[in-house]
Amino acid sequence: MESYDWDEKMGYLRRRMSLYYNDDYIAFLVKSVWKWETPVRVVDFGCGYGQLGLMMLPHLPEGSTYTGIDPGARQIGAAKELYAHLPWKAEFIRAELTDADLGSAFDVAVSHAVLMHRSDPLQLLAKMAESVKDGGTVICYEPHGCASMSSYYFDDVLSTEVMPLGPLQKLHEQDALRTGKDANIGMKLPVYFSQLGLRRIESRISDKVNYYDPVQDSEETRALFSNLQFECPGQEEDFIQALIERGLTQEEAERLYIAEDLLSQVNTPSVAFAHAPSMKITFGTVVR
């Protein structure tokens, strides 16, 4: 069974979700790309408190249903409580994602930023495909970590000083080799979908750009700054040793520490910044 600690990170999930998508882009996908005109049964793997359902359900055809699966007791409890007051038909199941007994009755299987945290992403993808009927759709929202990190801009700060992409890319690659957990999986999913036999595979990129302007002080801008705030990397020796254990050289680890320490200093409420998370949205059709 995969390790699970998201019950302790519900606040993080709530803060971050709004950073990735514009609501009109989700509406565009549902109505103009996926073209769902009749009710669909959706199953969400790693649903958390149902955050992806909150994003998709307002745009789905009337009568659509949503089933969420998650190992976290607190997440499932929060989801049940939240959806009890919402107009959509939803149910939530607490289970390890690859163990859930679902049959093949769903029209759509989705996941959001789940595969990147799994040591068995292909196994979970296969389970998702197994859960939908012939002609059904699998959709995965996943990041490409290096692309996301390259898409920050801080006013009057050189990006190379705060985002050293070389060490970051190596760190992601070494983590994937060592643990199977891949922060760059978003860009690889079309290939993985094909390997699993899915057809009519496409991939899109979210058009969301977050812009923080200290001059435009408002509740919205303050929330954005809080959600994208970078923390101090902590004790230098411990930080560097942890990176070396993950596959970086001493020099690379030191460079990354200097960058993250500088980033935590320049990322203040007085500095304007922009960020495009560029979340990848990959989808394909199950053909049996």
Side-chain angles (χ1 to χ4, degrees):
M1 181 175 178
E2 293 283 326
S3 61
Y4 185 92
D5 61 356
W6 290 100
D7 269 350
E8 310 306 319
K9 299 179 180 179
M10 292 180 64
Y12 170 86
L13 292 175
R14 289 191 171 95
R15 292 193 304 271
R16 300 290 292 186
M17 196 66 180
S18 64
L19 300 175
Y20 301 131
Y21 310 99
N22 290 309
D23 187 65
D24 58 1
Y25 188 72
I26 300 302
F28 162 74
L29 289 173
V30 170
K31 296 173 183 177
S32 299
V33 178
W34 299 323
K35 299 179 181 178
W36 296 327
E37 297 178 348
T38 57
V40 291
R41 295 186 63 194
V42 179
V43 58
D44 182 1
F45 285 78
C47 66
Y49 63 90
Q51 59 268 27
L52 186 56
L54 297 177
M55 187 174 71
M56 293 182 68
L57 281 164
H59 306 295
L60 297 183
E62 186 176 355
S64 296
T65 66
Y66 175 74
T67 298
I69 306 170
D70 199 276
R74 288 185 60 195
Q75 298 278 10
I76 291 297
K80 289 180 177 178
E81 181 178 350
L82 175 61
Y83 276 76
H85 306 286
L86 297 176
W88 305 295
K89 185 177 180 180
E91 67 171 337
F92 295 92
I93 302 168
R94 185 188 177 197
E96 165 52 32
L97 303 185
T98 53
D99 294 341
D101 185 11
L102 301 169
S104 302
F106 292 94
D107 301 293
V108 184
V110 300
S111 67
H112 185 275
V114 171
L115 296 174
M116 66 179 292
H117 297 292
R118 302 281 299 195
S119 63
D120 62 346
L122 285 173
Q123 182 181 352
L124 180 53
L125 272 175
K127 182 70 175 182
M128 293 175 67
E130 182 184 295
S131 72
V132 301
K133 63 185 183 182
D134 185 33
T137 305
V138 176
I139 305 170
C140 296
Y141 301 74
E142 293 285 342
H144 183 273
C146 287
S148 178
M149 296 305 287
S150 70
S151 297
Y152 277 96
Y153 168 73
F154 293 91
D155 193 24
D156 292 330
V157 179
L158 293 176
S159 296
T160 50
E161 294 184 353
V162 292
M163 296 292 175
L165 296 180
L168 284 169
Q169 183 175 23
K170 181 177 178 180
L171 190 65
H172 290 324
E173 290 175 346
Q174 291 299 312
D175 282 345
L177 290 171
R178 183 170 49 86
T179 69
K181 300 177 181 181
D182 189 352
N184 287 326
I185 197 170
M187 207 64 195
K188 302 173 183 179
L189 284 179
V191 175
Y192 292 166
F193 275 37
S194 179
Q195 290 174 354
L196 289 171
L198 276 69
R199 295 294 179 261
R200 297 189 286 278
I201 300 163
E202 296 185 41
S203 193
R204 302 296 175 99
I205 301 177
S206 171
D207 65 353
K208 180 79 170 185
V209 177
N210 299 294
Y211 168 58
Y212 170 76
D213 183 355
V215 175
Q216 300 178 16
D217 183 52
S218 67
E219 184 177 344
E220 182 179 355
T221 58
R222 289 192 293 271
L224 176 60
F225 175 79
S226 177
N227 292 341
L228 279 172
Q229 193 168 7
F230 290 87
E231 297 181 356
C232 175
Q235 292 293 326
E236 180 176 359
E237 184 177 344
D238 294 340
F239 183 90
I240 290 173
Q241 182 58 38
L243 292 181
I244 292 173
E245 292 173 359
R246 290 170 62 187
L248 295 190
T249 65
Q250 178 81 26
E251 181 180 357
E252 291 167 337
E254 290 174 354
R255 182 184 176 196
L256 199 54
Y257 176 84
I258 292 171
E260 293 209 15
D261 186 52
L262 176 60
L263 184 57
S264 70
Q265 296 177 44
V266 301
N267 182 212
T268 67
S270 62
V271 175
F273 67 80
H275 177 233
S278 304
M279 188 70 81
K280 310 300 185 291
I281 306 162
T282 302
F283 48 97
T285 302
V286 173
V287 178
R288 295 192 175 91

